[in-house]
Amino acid sequence: MRKIEIMDYTPQWHEHFECEVALISPILGGNLIAIEHIGSTSVPNLAAKPVIDILLEVKSLDVLDTCNAALQYIGYKAKGENGISGRRYFQKGGDKRSHHIHAFAKGDEHLFEHRVFRDYLIAMPNTATEYAQIKQNAAISCNNNNALYCELKSDFIAQHLALAVQWHHKNNL
């Protein structure tokens, strides 16, 4: 069973992301538009599960699907949309999960949401601290049930994603 634990921020998370960029980018070649570090491990000083979330923006999901075997060779298991229409989701590390890839085609609204939420948390350290506390409480309360862990964070995320979108538009980012 996968254990859900929240750890203090470490700069090594960014280094882990950069290592994965070097592995993933050549596989995707000309289909890759952007590769970014997202999620809690991308926010300085934010406590997080030690799982690196990677956002891929690609020209074509169909072309990306032809890369599944090569991504599997470097440790990523393809999980299809995994509950989000228009996404390709990959996991690395099995029960000791270390990385997630969230891939979307150019123009997908989820790209904007992932980016704006990350940027908002970086710009609002008090909100990031509040989020860390919610995640720590959720990890303690969920008894390693990932669905429950996500549910316990969902109200905060929804509220602050809406605020992040307003913040983004207000600041013409």
Side-chain angles (χ1 to χ4, degrees):
M1 174 187 268
R2 190 166 154 232
K3 183 177 179 185
I4 296 175
E5 65 178 325
I6 303 299
M7 300 176 63
D8 288 340
Y9 176 81
T10 174
Q12 284 75 31
W13 289 338
H14 184 71
E15 293 169 20
H16 296 310
F17 164 74
E18 290 296 336
C19 289
E20 295 304 301
V21 168
L23 292 172
I24 296 167
S25 296
I27 291 171
L28 303 183
N31 191 36
L32 180 63
I33 296 170
I35 184 167
E36 299 177 44
H37 191 182
I38 60 165
S40 295
T41 60
S42 71
V43 179
N45 302 312
L46 178 56
K49 292 188 300 184
V51 178
I52 309 303
D53 284 292
I54 299 167
L55 181 66
L56 299 181
E57 181 177 6
V58 297
K59 294 175 185 173
S60 166
L61 291 177
D62 291 335
V63 173
L64 176 62
D65 290 341
T66 68
C67 300
N68 287 353
L71 289 167
Q72 184 171 347
Y73 182 77
I74 62 168
Y76 287 94
K77 182 176 181 180
K79 306 290 277 185
E81 289 185 330
N82 203 50
I84 298 177
S85 181
R87 173 176 75 165
R88 296 300 184 271
Y89 178 67
F90 302 83
Q91 297 173 340
K92 186 175 188 176
D95 283 345
K96 298 196 183 294
R97 190 95 27 90
S98 60
H99 299 79
H100 296 152
I101 294 175
H102 309 266
F104 298 93
K106 180 180 180 175
D108 192 294
E109 181 67 16
H110 290 97
L111 292 164
F112 171 74
E113 291 174 354
H114 282 294
R115 290 168 174 150
V116 75
F117 190 65
R118 173 200 59 204
D119 295 348
Y120 175 78
L121 288 175
I122 290 170
M124 306 291 178
N126 290 341
T127 302
T129 299
E130 181 183 354
Y131 186 36
Q133 188 61 56
I134 287 168
K135 291 190 312 170
Q136 289 166 337
N137 291 341
I140 291 166
S141 300
C142 75
N143 196 29
N144 295 315
N145 177 328
N146 194 59
L148 179 56
Y149 172 76
C150 291
E151 183 182 323
L152 293 170
K153 302 182 311 170
S154 65
D155 287 345
F156 178 92
I157 292 170
Q159 175 189 2
H160 286 279
L161 177 57
L163 291 171
V165 169
Q166 291 174 4
W167 167 82
H168 174 85
H169 292 308
K170 178 181 173 190
N171 291 296
N172 297 314
L173 299 174

